Amino acid sequence: MPPPNTTQASSPSSSGVSSASTTINNAAPPPLPPPPPLPPRPDPMMTDNEVINNLRKISLESTSRWANAHHNSLTPADFRKYGTEMVNFIADYLENVHNRRVVPSIEPGYLRELIPATAPTKAEPFDRVMKDFETYVMPGVTHWQHPRFHAYFPAGNSFPSILANMLGDALGCQGFSWAACPAITELEMIVLDWLGRMINLPKEFLPFTENGRGGGVIQSSASECNFVALLAARFEIMKQLRQRFPFVEEGLLMSKLIAYCSKEAHSSVEKAAMIGMVKLRILETDSKFRLRGDTLHAAITEDRHLGLIPFYVSTTLGTTSVCSFDVLSEIGPVCTENDLWLHVDAAYAGCAFICPEFRGIMNGIEHAMSFNTNPNKWMLVNFDCSTMWVKDRFKLTQALVVDPLYLQHSWADKAIDYRHWGIPLSRRFRSLKLWFVIRMYGVEGLQAYIREHVRLAKKFESLLRADDKFEIVGDVILGLVCFRLRASDEANQLLLTKLNSTGRIHMVPASLSDRFVIRFCVCHEHANDRDILIAYEIIKQVAMIILHEQITAEPIVENYELEMLEAKELAAIRRDSDVFSLPNKELSVESLTSVSPHASPPVLSAGISAPFPTLSQPQNPDIPAPPVNARSGQSLAEKRSFLVRMVSDPKCYNPKIVRHLNMRNHKQMSQDLARDRTMRQVIENGGLRSRTSRSSGSGGGMWGRSDSAESRNLPGEFPEDDEEFVSTVALDQTGLQTPL
């Protein structure tokens, strides 16, 4: 029962969430408690302790009245109880997330219709909040930790990281300077030295190198790393230009600056250049989607001749679109020769460099000025945690330093203040979760985790390469596989849309060489061979549907075209009659596909059919050749379903109707085959008698309907009303009709 003075808000059925009611509190706010009494005037005879005790008593009474009036949230005892429940909820969710849809089935704005428009006046209990969370919020969640989530890149998550986040949130420290919380700064330096050594960065980048100028910092994301690196490079070049051209305005000097990246670089590089107000030249890649040194050198030479000032190059190790790797061994010397700031963005792939077998990709890193990777992608650390190293920390901090008096402290000359290393001032205790993960998994455990993901990606690649419906785009080096149907971009877009709409799997697209491709990334921490096989089966089945929809969606054949096809169809029926006329012979897939190109493909599991076999047939010179479709180069006769052509039902030529009619269960195949055999026998035995009644109108086809008594009493199993029978056959999938 809802409490008094409440209204009910229910969700519409179109939201994709079951209808449920939400209580909205509209009661008048409770009166505020009276203000605490003023402290009594101290008696000159009272001691200091008596005055202090009197003030403490008044404060406790006031706090108690406030807590009782507003039902203050949780006590320590409540927190222990509900904290235990929350941990159990999280563990159950991650253990059973595979039972949920990967992507939600909702529409934009769904939550606004379910949640009250105003905040509650009175406090609500934890149980009700959690119930509403499961009822209203969870139906709109995309489950990034789902075994069938293969979009983007992994979203790092693990129990050690979650526990560390709980600790950091409980401490609630702000680590903008060493003095604000020394442990935040100290631990961050240590874990960045650990991780830098784990991925074999040059010692110039490490914070504890003797007499070194390098250092590391944890930023919020790779986008921030790209932006901060560009700002540092811009500050450095502007400092030089101001010295060379002291009488030229800075705005004019900045208008000459130009940065470079490849067309496969992350969009954050373009955004950084836009915010930094510098020109960005996007360079072409080679056939493996890599930026090469000669391309960069040619662009720099050309721009210098145009009066521009190159100053910054952003390269990528592990591009977002296809996980390609710019050739640092070629780009690095070009940057050194031209005194350009080289930044290396290895957001996804950088974590793989803890495995020695992948470190060859980093050849040339010694030429870089800055490097970043994201443990929150592929090292089981929850977002946000993007680690960044610089070869000269002073070039970074001088571009970002702002030092008001209230932030200064007496240890500034001996300690690092991370507020000078990035955009925000306040900083969370991010290093704690990285420290927990490295310690509780160990380097060997993290290496095994990455190697397993790479192995599974190679397995998925091998499955696709063995299937001639698909092609692989780009090299599969780490955990990302880019593929596409051997079909048009429209077919591939449709494939991805259908896959994601099922809720059983989630992937995202990319554009490579102006072609639409689908990205498949191994993301789940405990991914295994079964997950890969399930994903491949889902993709394969939907791909078969798409291919057969393309076949049945051809334009309607004109009457004169059907007339030319009739002779060839009749010849095919006669050749096949010796197979289909045996009532007790079980038809095999081989017999269906080897005798005639017009036979139906075999029906596989889950009602999905294999694609049409590509068979050639000798052409009879006495029979006109069927028209050829320019789009596919295949004859319309080979694209038509045998049953659709035979019954001549005009509505079956509507592609939308065909798609609807063909979605039937494969369990009826044996029954349908028996019916098709009967129809073929009837056509062979009596069909020729009705050829004279063939119509050239819309109701005509290969076998038109005849009103003669002879034709209406053909031997076989036709019902008395043959038009009704044709309609019934058209509404049911048969073993000979092209399934979708």
Side-chain angles (χ1 to χ4, degrees):
M1 292 289 293
N5 300 322
T6 62
T7 58
Q8 299 292 330
S10 60
S11 63
S13 58
S14 62
S15 64
V17 183
S18 59
S19 177
S21 62
T22 305
T23 302
I24 307 176
N25 294 313
N26 291 325
L32 294 175
L38 295 174
R41 185 181 300 277
D43 190 333
M45 302 299 296
M46 293 177 65
T47 65
D48 291 343
N49 288 338
E50 289 175 335
V51 173
I52 293 173
N53 289 334
N54 192 24
L55 294 173
R56 183 181 294 127
K57 179 180 179 181
I58 294 174
S59 176
L60 290 175
E61 291 176 354
S62 175
T63 302
S64 177
R65 284 197 300 271
W66 183 91
N68 292 332
H70 294 275
H71 307 288
N72 191 20
S73 184
L74 298 179
T75 65
D78 292 334
F79 181 74
R80 290 186 178 93
K81 174 186 176 183
Y82 296 133
T84 301
E85 293 180 7
M86 180 63 74
V87 169
N88 291 333
F89 177 87
I90 293 172
D92 291 340
Y93 165 75
L94 292 176
E95 186 177 13
N96 300 295
V97 67
H98 61 276
N99 294 324
R100 299 177 183 261
R101 284 177 59 98
V102 186
V103 290
S105 178
I106 50 89
E107 296 178 357
Y110 90 98
L111 197 55
R112 187 176 180 181
E113 300 173 352
L114 303 177
I115 290 183
T118 58
T121 303
K122 294 183 179 180
E124 298 185 59
F126 175 81
D127 292 338
R128 180 181 296 178
V129 175
M130 284 301 297
K131 180 179 179 181
D132 288 349
F133 170 79
E134 183 65 52
T135 303
Y136 304 134
V137 178
M138 287 299 277
V141 171
T142 298
H143 300 286
W144 284 60
Q145 308 307 321
H146 198 287
R148 246 72 72 201
F149 181 92
H150 299 289
Y152 311 108
F153 283 124
N157 192 18
S158 64
F159 291 128
S161 179
I162 295 172
L163 294 174
N165 262 340
M166 293 173 63
L167 274 180
D169 292 343
L171 295 175
C173 301
Q174 301 291 327
F176 49 80
S177 69
W178 185 92
C181 184
I184 291 182
T185 300
E186 299 276 348
L187 187 60
E188 189 162 331
M189 295 172 64
I190 290 172
V191 296
L192 283 164
D193 188 72
W194 280 11
L195 184 56
R197 294 178 186 275
M198 288 165 59
I199 63 180
N200 200 34
L201 276 178
K203 63 180 182 179
E204 291 81 6
F205 289 95
L206 303 180
F208 297 138
T209 300
E210 187 176 359
N211 299 322
R213 299 171 64 89
V217 59
I218 300 179
Q219 309 282 16
S220 63
S221 64
S223 299
E224 186 176 354
C225 295
N226 286 325
F227 183 44
V228 167
L230 184 138
L231 291 181
R234 190 189 71 177
F235 184 89
E236 185 67 18
I237 189 65
M238 287 298 295
K239 183 174 64 175
Q240 299 174 15
L241 292 176
R242 281 193 296 267
Q243 294 175 354
R244 293 175 55 189
F245 309 102
F247 303 109
V248 180
E249 292 187 4
E250 289 192 5
L252 180 58
L253 293 175
M254 190 176 297
S255 68
K256 300 293 185 180
L257 300 183
I258 185 167
Y260 303 91
C261 71
S262 83
K263 65 184 296 184
E264 301 301 334
H266 193 266
S267 61
S268 62
V269 180
E270 186 175 356
K271 181 178 288 189
M274 179 176 63
I275 300 174
M277 295 187 294
V278 296
K279 296 179 177 62
L280 177 67
R281 182 166 178 178
I282 300 175
L283 304 177
E284 289 294 330
T285 57
D286 64 7
S287 60
K288 295 186 177 181
F289 311 102
R290 306 174 300 175
L291 178 62
R292 305 299 296 266
D294 54 354
T295 303
L296 176 63
H297 183 271
I300 292 172
T301 303
E302 180 181 345
D303 289 338
R304 287 196 191 279
H305 291 160
L306 295 174
L308 299 176
I309 305 173
F311 78 104
Y312 176 80
V313 177
S314 178
T315 56
T316 310
L317 297 182
T319 58
T320 302
S321 56
V322 69
C323 198
S324 57
F325 299 87
D326 294 338
V327 186
L328 288 184
S329 59
E330 298 176 2
I331 297 171
V334 174
C335 293
T336 301
E337 178 185 349
N338 290 274
D339 195 22
L340 308 183
W341 184 295
L342 174 59
H343 177 70
V344 178
D345 179 6
Y348 167 65
C351 296
F353 301 151
I354 66 175
C355 301
E357 61 267 29
F358 299 120
R359 291 176 186 166
I361 299 171
M362 296 175 64
N363 289 340
I365 190 65
E366 64 275 7
H367 296 277
M369 288 295 295
S370 53
F371 173 89
N372 75 272
T373 186
N374 285 11
N376 60 248
K377 279 190 172 66
W378 209 13
M379 225 175 87
L380 301 172
V381 178
N382 290 78
F383 185 85
D384 55 354
C385 184
S386 184
T387 53
M388 177 182 181
W389 291 264
V390 289
K391 190 177 288 185
D392 190 336
R393 62 180 180 271
F394 300 105
K395 291 184 178 180
L396 174 64
T397 57
Q398 68 184 356
L400 301 168
V401 63
V402 177
D403 201 21
L405 181 61
Y406 55 82
L407 295 177
Q408 296 176 12
H409 56 89
S410 57
W411 298 100
D413 58 335
K414 295 183 178 180
I416 282 180
D417 287 346
Y418 275 125
R419 71 177 187 271
H420 302 314
W421 292 57
I423 303 301
L425 173 65
S426 300
R427 308 178 73 256
R428 296 186 299 108
F429 206 161
R430 297 189 187 102
S431 58
L432 199 60
K433 54 191 173 185
L434 184 56
W435 188 55
F436 266 51
V437 167
I438 293 176
R439 293 191 61 188
M440 298 184 71
Y441 280 90
V443 176
E444 291 182 354
L446 294 172
Q447 288 174 338
Y449 157 74
I450 289 174
R451 286 167 177 156
E452 178 66 3
H453 274 204
V454 175
R455 184 190 70 82
L456 293 173
K458 293 287 188 180
K459 180 180 181 67
F460 183 75
E461 177 195 15
S462 66
L463 292 173
L464 292 180
R465 288 194 183 278
D467 192 332
D468 58 4
K469 293 188 296 297
F470 301 100
E471 61 176 314
I472 302 296
V473 182
D475 295 335
V476 179
I477 298 176
L478 298 181
L480 178 69
V481 182
C482 290
F483 70 96
R484 56 179 277 126
L485 275 175
R486 296 184 186 273
S488 65
D489 282 352
E490 291 76 12
N492 281 277
Q493 288 177 322
L494 183 59
L495 171 62
L496 182 60
T497 300
K498 284 184 176 292
L499 285 168
N500 288 339
S501 66
T502 65
R504 301 168 64 196
I505 193 171
H506 186 41
M507 295 177 291
V508 293
S511 178
L512 298 173
S513 299
D514 298 324
R515 295 196 303 167
F516 186 94
V517 301
I518 302 174
R519 299 171 69 262
F520 178 95
C521 188
V522 181
C523 295
H524 190 244
E525 176 185 356
H526 304 292
N528 53 43
D529 292 84
R530 180 175 179 272
D531 295 327
I532 299 301
L533 291 174
I534 291 175
Y536 168 69
E537 286 298 326
I538 294 173
I539 295 170
K540 181 181 69 173
Q541 291 178 7
V542 177
M544 290 177 179
I545 295 175
I546 299 300
L547 293 176
H548 285 296
E549 280 184 343
Q550 284 190 318
I551 293 174
T552 58
E554 294 297 330
I556 298 175
V557 180
E558 299 293 338
N559 291 331
Y560 75 92
E561 294 177 324
L562 291 174
E563 292 289 336
M564 290 192 298
L565 293 175
E566 289 176 4
K568 185 174 181 180
E569 293 294 341
L570 181 58
I573 293 173
R574 288 176 173 172
R575 283 194 302 273
D576 296 345
S577 61
D578 59 335
V579 175
F580 291 93
S581 61
L582 300 177
N584 298 322
K585 181 178 179 180
E586 188 67 22
L587 295 181
S588 65
V589 170
E590 290 78 7
S591 64
L592 288 174
T593 58
S594 62
V595 176
S596 172
H598 307 296
S600 168
V603 180
L604 305 179
S605 61
I608 307 300
S609 301
F612 260 89
T614 304
L615 299 177
S616 60
Q617 188 174 7
Q619 180 67 40
N620 189 336
D622 298 329
I623 301 176
V628 175
N629 185 288
R631 288 177 53 191
S632 61
Q634 294 179 327
S635 68
L636 291 171
E638 293 173 347
K639 286 180 174 290
R640 290 294 174 199
S641 160
F642 168 79
L643 182 62
V644 171
R645 291 193 303 273
M646 184 174 63
V647 300
S648 304
D649 190 346
K651 62 179 173 289
C652 289
Y653 290 105
N654 186 327
K656 293 182 179 179
I657 298 178
V658 174
R659 282 196 296 270
H660 173 70
L661 300 183
N662 284 299
M663 299 303 295
R664 291 300 182 91
N665 197 294
H666 74 286
K667 293 181 180 179
Q668 300 179 354
M669 181 181 180
S670 58
Q671 173 185 347
D672 295 335
L673 283 174
R675 182 174 54 205
D676 292 338
R677 286 198 300 267
T678 302
M679 289 185 62
R680 286 181 179 271
Q681 291 173 7
V682 169
I683 293 171
E684 283 295 303
N685 296 330
L688 293 177
R689 289 174 288 181
S690 62
R691 290 183 63 185
T692 56
S693 63
R694 184 186 310 134
S695 171
S696 61
S698 61
M702 182 173 177
W703 300 105
R705 181 184 174 197
S706 172
D707 292 330
S708 65
E710 182 181 17
S711 62
R712 292 184 58 84
N713 293 280
L714 296 174
E717 298 182 6
F718 275 114
E720 186 171 347
D721 188 348
D722 56 359
E723 182 175 357
E724 179 181 354
F725 171 74
V726 168
S727 176
T728 303
V729 172
L731 289 173
D732 291 330
Q733 176 178 330
T734 71
L736 294 177
Q737 187 176 359
T738 306
L740 299 183

